[in-house]
């Protein structure tokens, strides 16, 4: 084989012996280019509708071909085979089934909301039956289809050559009817698809009129006119969220339910009657699958199914057993069968030859833009025609004013050419006027005919002025578009077929949950729960406390904070990741329950653990997320500041919140407003105070800068962020239960990165520092030790002391116990329990439990 392609000596190496050039190409480039060409051809010439007339090329060619064939709504039907042949031979060189199937669909009342083809014969059924062969059926255009084609001969649209350049076909129809909104469309291209829902003409016309009156109308305002899709098979739109999403974004999932009612027979037995089914559902297939589910005992309570549909309408009967509850059976049918279906809206259409996803306002805008261009071109065409006619009429009037001279000139002329030239010279006429005079019939020379010519001329002049006024005034053109549309509404408008029902599931779980304050606890081993704040009782300072949680021996509460049910939690782990979770979605538990493993709620790694949780009010408010920051602090004293906006897009698997250096861990995270003071404290009892502006905002993946300088073996135990305007104190707590509060003024302002000043006199008696908090007198404290004992006390019971003092005892601890977590509770309005017996009893019970 290689011998056959060897180069012949003396010939060019790039050619064979036959002289044919061989051009080497990269097969990957060639395949890529060919596939892109193919995909664009499918997108533009086959699968996607044009936003202007809502038609794909095959639909457009069928309608235009039927117009050219003369099968209008007021003409006799013609054989479908004749129509298909016309379209195939002139405009659409593809398979005949492609054309016939498309024409059939345009004639099916269950497929199109407003059919464009009037079919005679068997055009299929909602049961999925095939139509009869094209040689048996007949068709013609419906009257409403004439609105799509009206004015096509008035230079309103561009025409392009057909496949063999022998004829011209329209590249788009004038489309007086907003067809894309009314009938929708569906198609699968290459790499994209479209699925557009039908709507009601009355609503669409009102919506477009509202848009014409106010181009700045919002989609919310448009939905007062265009309520929702209106499917040809009726049914019930169950829930409005998908409709709203489709209108606003061009994508949404619309749930459709069958229309069903319960009838009671004379015998007392009940039956469910279905009279409308969801759009695009095959009735026979649905009934067959339902019967199969009943036989398999997956649906119970139904003794028989019958299809009693006839020419008068649809009627599917589900006979119920004696003990069956209709509502339960019907809901089960909705859940397991196609009595409830969904229509996934994906509004993709061609805009200027490019596919684009469109919302409701976009669809209306492009329709109005198209109609505006059509009106301009139609008016321009009519103006030109009117001016031509006026020109001829002016010639007629000149001739009639000089009738004897014209007749004499014509009689004396040897041939029409001489007569024409003579008329042009003598009466200053144009060639067109002269020809028209020569072609004029003798009867037009009567006095009555002259009056008619004069009247026609006056009317033409008025028309010309009117057409010029339209071309000069956009407002008039828009008024024409609106009036034509309202005429269509009066002529073809009908009642909405699909009922809208706001679904119960639109009221989300969050809507049904009161926005109460909750105590959120997370244990050292990663168990999380929420408990209503009202379950905790207020005690005096020094009380023993009530039992807060029951854990296994090596577990204890590590995080405790307050949040309302509707807030977002940003959960940060020591590896520097952040996860999102709604408060109400956290399992609720009592004070003594251990909660649910946090791994069941978020996808945290096995060796990672939660280090900080931020309570965020709202992640959807741009003002809020752009003007608030997250300050992060690590155990080695690194600090980082990032805008909350960088963490406002929840992801199920979390994202990296900060880059953690080797050997370090994320310790704490706080939400700030950009003008806070930051205090970082170490276990050795030293704290540094600097302004937030010392830390510039960084990206989400940054590692941060040094916040405090510490000796070997020291580590950061907490960070506080306070607004300098707040009358707050700094509370510090040691591991052996000592604490105090001091004025912030006692901590001098420095630059970040320093060693700080003493914040507590650390001794063997106090133990190392374990917590710092910013508090005011109205705050309460929740203190939990490692054995699970909790005490709640008021901050005002702690007197303000100097920053270098030791503090007072906050909680009585057992010999080998120590404090694990401290959290403040702000603005609690509860009465303190003043009965000492109650305190003693509660304390005794806790003491016993802890000893056990």
């Amino acid at each position: 084989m290689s011998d056959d392609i060897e180069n012949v000596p003396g010939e060019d190496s790039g050619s064979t012996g036959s002289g044919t050039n061989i051009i080497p190409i990269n097969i990957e480039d060639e395949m890529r280019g060919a596939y892109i060409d193919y995909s664009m051809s499918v997108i533009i010439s086959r699968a996607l509708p044009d936003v202007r007339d809502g038609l794909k090329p095959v639909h457009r060619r069928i309608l235009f071909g039927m117009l050219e064939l003369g099968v209008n709504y007021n003409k006799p039907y013609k054989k479908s085979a004749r129509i298909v042949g016309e379209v195939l031979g002139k405009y659409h060189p593809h398979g005949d089934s492609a054309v016939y199937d498309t024409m059939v669909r345009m004639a099916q009342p269950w497929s199109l909301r407003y059919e464009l083809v009037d079919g005679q014969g068997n055009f299929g059924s909602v049961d999925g039956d095939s139509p009869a062969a094209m040689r048996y059926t007949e068709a013609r255009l419906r009257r409403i289809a004439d609105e799509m084609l009206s004015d096509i001969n008035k230079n309103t649209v561009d025409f392009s050559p057909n496949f063999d350049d022998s004829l011209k076909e329209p590249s788009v129809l004038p489309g007086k009817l907003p067809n894309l909104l009314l009938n929708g469309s569906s198609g699968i291209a290459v790499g994209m698809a479209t699925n557009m829902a039908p709507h009601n003409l009355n609503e669409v016309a009102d919506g477009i009129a509202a848009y014409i009156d106010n181009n700045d109308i919002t989609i919310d305002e448009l939905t007062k006119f265009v309520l929702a899709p209106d499917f040809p098979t009726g049914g019930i739109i169950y829930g409005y969220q998908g409709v709203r999403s489709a209108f606003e974004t061009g994508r949404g999932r619309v749930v459709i339910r069958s229309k069903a009612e319960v009838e009671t027979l004379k015998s007392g037995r009940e039956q469910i009657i279905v009279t409308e089914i969801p759009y695009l559902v095959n009735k026979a297939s649905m009934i067959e699958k339902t019967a199969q589910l009943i036989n398999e005992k997956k649906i119970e309570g139904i003794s028989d199914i019958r299809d009693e549909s006839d020419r008068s309408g649809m009627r599917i009967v589900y006979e119920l057993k004696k003990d069956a509850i209709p509502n339960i059976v019907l809901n089960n049918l909705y859940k397991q069968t196609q009595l409830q279906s969904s229509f996934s809206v994906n509004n993709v259409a061609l805009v200027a030859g490019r596919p684009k996803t469109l919302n409701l306002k976009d669809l209306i805008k492009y329709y109005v833009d198209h109609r505006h261009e059509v009106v301009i071109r139609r008016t321009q065409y009519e103006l030109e025609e009117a001016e031509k006619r006026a020109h001829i009429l002016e010639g007629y009037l000149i001739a009639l004013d000089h009738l004897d001279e014209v007749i004499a000139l014509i009689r004396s002329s040897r041939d029409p050419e001489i007569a024409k030239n003579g008329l042009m010279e003598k009466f200053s006429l144009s060639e067109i006027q002269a020809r028209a005079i020569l072609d004029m019939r003798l009867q037009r020379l009567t006095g009555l005919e002259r009056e008619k010519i004069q009247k026609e001329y006056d009317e033409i002049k008025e028309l010309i002025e009117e057409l010029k006024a339209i071309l000069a005034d956009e407002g008039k053109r828009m008024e024409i578009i609106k009036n034509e549309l309202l005429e269509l509404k009066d002529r073809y408008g009908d009642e909405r077929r699909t009922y809208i029902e706001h679904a119960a599931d639109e009221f989300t779980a969050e809507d049904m949950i009161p926005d109460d304050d909750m105590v959120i606890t997370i244990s050292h081993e990663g168990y999380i729960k929420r408990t209503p704040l009202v379950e905790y009782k207020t005690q005096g300072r020094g009380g023993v406390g009530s039992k807060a949680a029951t854990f296994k021996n090596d577990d204890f509460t590590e995080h405790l904070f307050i949040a309302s049910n509707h807030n977002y939690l940003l959960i940060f782990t020591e590896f520097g990741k952040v996860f999102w979770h709604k408060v109400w979605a956290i399992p609720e538990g009592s004070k003594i329950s251990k909660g649910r493993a946090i791994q069941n709620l978020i996808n945290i790694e096995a060796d990672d653990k939660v280090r900080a949780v931020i309570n965020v009010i709202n992640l959807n408010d741009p003002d809020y997320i752009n003007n608030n920051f997250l300050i992060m602090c690590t155990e080695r004293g690194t600090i980082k500041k990032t805008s909350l906006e960088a963490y406002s897009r929840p992801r199920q698997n979390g994202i990296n919140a900060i880059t953690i250096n080797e050997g370090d861990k994320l310790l704490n995270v706080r939400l700030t407003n950009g003008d806070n003071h930051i205090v970082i404290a170490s276990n050795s009892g030293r704290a540094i105070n600097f302004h937030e502006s010392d830390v510039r905002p960084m990206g989400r993946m940054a590692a941060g800068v040094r916040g405090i300088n510490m000796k070997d073996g020291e580590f950061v135990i907490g960070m506080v962020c306070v607004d300098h305007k707040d009358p707050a104190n700094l509370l510090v707590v040691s591991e052996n239960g000592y604490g105090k509060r001091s004025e912030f003024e006692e901590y001098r302002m420095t630059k970040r990165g320093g060693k700080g000043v003493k914040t507590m006199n650390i001794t063997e008696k106090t133990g190392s520092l374990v917590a710092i908090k910013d508090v005011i007198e109205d705050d309460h404290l929740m203190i939990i030790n490692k054995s699970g004992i909790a005490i709640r006390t008021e901050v005002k019971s702690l007197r303000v002391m100097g920053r270098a003092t030791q503090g007072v005892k906050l909680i009585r601890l057992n010999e080998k116990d120590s404090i694990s977590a401290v959290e403040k509770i702000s603005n609690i309005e509860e009465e303190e329990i003043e009965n000492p017996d109650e305190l003693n009893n509660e304390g005794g019970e806790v003491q016993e439990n802890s000893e056990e």
Side-chain angles (χ1 to χ4, degrees), residues 538-563:
T538 306
Q539 294 187 11
R541 178 177 68 81
V544 178
S546 61
K547 190 73 177 175
T550 303
F551 296 118
K552 55 188 181 182
N553 292 336
D554 57 347
D555 199 7
F556 56 89
T557 300
E558 190 168 283
H559 300 278
L560 183 147
F561 56 93
I562 311 302

Side-chain angles (χ1 to χ4, degrees), residues 288-301:
E288 183 183 339
K289 289 176 182 174
T290 304
Q292 187 178 340
L293 290 170
I294 293 169
N295 291 334
E296 294 171 357
K297 306 294 184 185
K298 291 181 179 177
I299 296 178
E300 296 183 348

Side-chain angles (χ1 to χ4, degrees), residues 351-414:
V351 179
R354 292 177 176 270
K356 189 175 180 181
T357 302
L358 307 163
N359 60 32
L360 175 62
K361 188 174 178 180
D362 292 334
L363 290 168
I364 290 174
K365 174 188 178 300
Y366 288 119
Y367 165 77
V368 172
D369 289 348
H370 173 57
R371 285 302 299 165
H372 186 227
E373 184 184 349
V374 167
V375 168
I376 290 173
R377 293 179 64 162
R378 182 183 68 191
T379 308
Q380 188 67 48
Y381 175 86
E382 289 175 347
L383 177 61
E384 290 170 2
E385 292 299 309
E387 287 176 339
K388 287 177 187 176
R389 181 62 182 165
H391 185 60
I392 291 172
L393 292 174
E394 284 171 358
Y396 284 165
L397 292 172
I398 290 171
L400 291 171
D401 287 341
H402 304 86
L403 185 57
D404 293 338
E405 296 174 66
V406 169
I407 292 171
L409 190 149
I410 294 172
R411 287 186 66 185
S412 63
S413 300
R414 190 177 62 193

Side-chain angles (χ1 to χ4, degrees), residues 342-625:
S342 64
F343 186 92
S344 296
V345 176
N346 184 22
N347 293 339
V348 178
L350 294 174
V351 179
R354 292 177 176 270
K356 189 175 180 181
T357 302
L358 307 163
N359 60 32
L360 175 62
K361 188 174 178 180
D362 292 334
L363 290 168
I364 290 174
K365 174 188 178 300
Y366 288 119
Y367 165 77
V368 172
D369 289 348
H370 173 57
R371 285 302 299 165
H372 186 227
E373 184 184 349
V374 167
V375 168
I376 290 173
R377 293 179 64 162
R378 182 183 68 191
T379 308
Q380 188 67 48
Y381 175 86
E382 289 175 347
L383 177 61
E384 290 170 2
E385 292 299 309
E387 287 176 339
K388 287 177 187 176
R389 181 62 182 165
H391 185 60
I392 291 172
L393 292 174
E394 284 171 358
Y396 284 165
L397 292 172
I398 290 171
L400 291 171
D401 287 341
H402 304 86
L403 185 57
D404 293 338
E405 296 174 66
V406 169
I407 292 171
L409 190 149
I410 294 172
R411 287 186 66 185
S412 63
S413 300
R414 190 177 62 193
D415 56 40
E417 190 66 25
I418 293 172
K420 182 191 73 174
N421 292 333
L423 288 171
M424 291 169 62
E425 289 174 12
K426 187 164 186 177
F427 301 106
S428 301
L429 299 174
S430 69
E431 185 176 347
I432 294 171
Q433 288 173 323
R435 284 191 185 282
I437 290 168
L438 290 173
D439 293 339
M440 190 165 53
R441 298 173 64 183
L442 287 174
Q443 72 176 32
R444 307 212 66 175
L445 301 179
T446 62
L448 191 60
E449 284 295 319
R450 191 194 189 290
E451 288 178 14
K452 286 183 181 178
I453 291 169
Q454 184 64 51
K455 184 181 179 183
E456 184 185 355
Y457 179 70
D458 293 340
E459 289 173 353
I460 286 282
K461 292 300 284 183
E462 284 181 21
L463 176 62
I464 288 170
E465 292 305 314
E466 185 182 334
L467 294 173
K468 285 181 176 177
I470 291 170
L471 288 173
D473 187 351
E474 185 178 341
K476 287 189 176 182
R477 298 194 293 271
M478 288 298 173
E479 198 64 28
I480 289 170
I481 296 169
K482 185 165 77 170
N483 290 338
E484 288 179 347
L485 198 58
L486 295 177
E487 284 174 17
L488 291 180
K489 173 186 170 184
D490 293 339
R491 189 177 299 161
Y492 306 107
D494 56 3
E495 293 299 315
R496 163 174 278 280
R497 295 182 192 174
T498 306
Y499 179 72
I500 303 166
E501 181 180 313
H502 290 266
D505 57 7
E506 286 198 300
F507 300 98
T508 61
E510 183 171 322
D511 296 327
M512 308 301 290
I513 294 170
D515 198 16
D516 295 336
D517 285 334
M518 294 281 164
V519 177
I520 310 297
T521 55
I522 304 175
S523 76
H524 180 72
E525 293 292 328
Y527 288 90
I528 186 171
K529 68 174 182 183
R530 64 185 171 98
T531 307
L533 182 59
V534 294
E535 285 195 21
Y536 289 83
K537 298 177 181 178
T538 306
Q539 294 187 11
R541 178 177 68 81
V544 178
S546 61
K547 190 73 177 175
T550 303
F551 296 118
K552 55 188 181 182
N553 292 336
D554 57 347
D555 199 7
F556 56 89
T557 300
E558 190 168 283
H559 300 278
L560 183 147
F561 56 93
I562 311 302
S564 67
N565 267 328
H566 291 189
N567 289 2
Y568 260 108
L569 298 185
L570 267 59
I571 304 171
F572 293 83
T573 71
E574 66 179 26
F575 286 3
K577 291 198 75 173
V578 60
F579 298 86
W580 292 262
H581 209 73
K582 278 283 191 179
V583 170
W584 60 262
I586 296 170
E588 186 173 342
S590 65
K591 285 196 299 180
I592 60 172
S593 65
K594 72 175 183 178
R596 179 85 61 85
I598 201 166
Q599 285 86 351
N600 295 334
L601 304 182
I602 61 175
N603 296 328
I604 188 172
E605 295 177 32
D607 54 346
D608 200 0
K609 63 182 294 187
V610 173
R611 299 297 290 176
V613 183
I614 297 294
N615 178 25
V616 177
I617 300 169
N618 191 343
L619 288 177
N620 298 319
D621 182 358
D623 235 24
Y624 179 74
I625 61 177

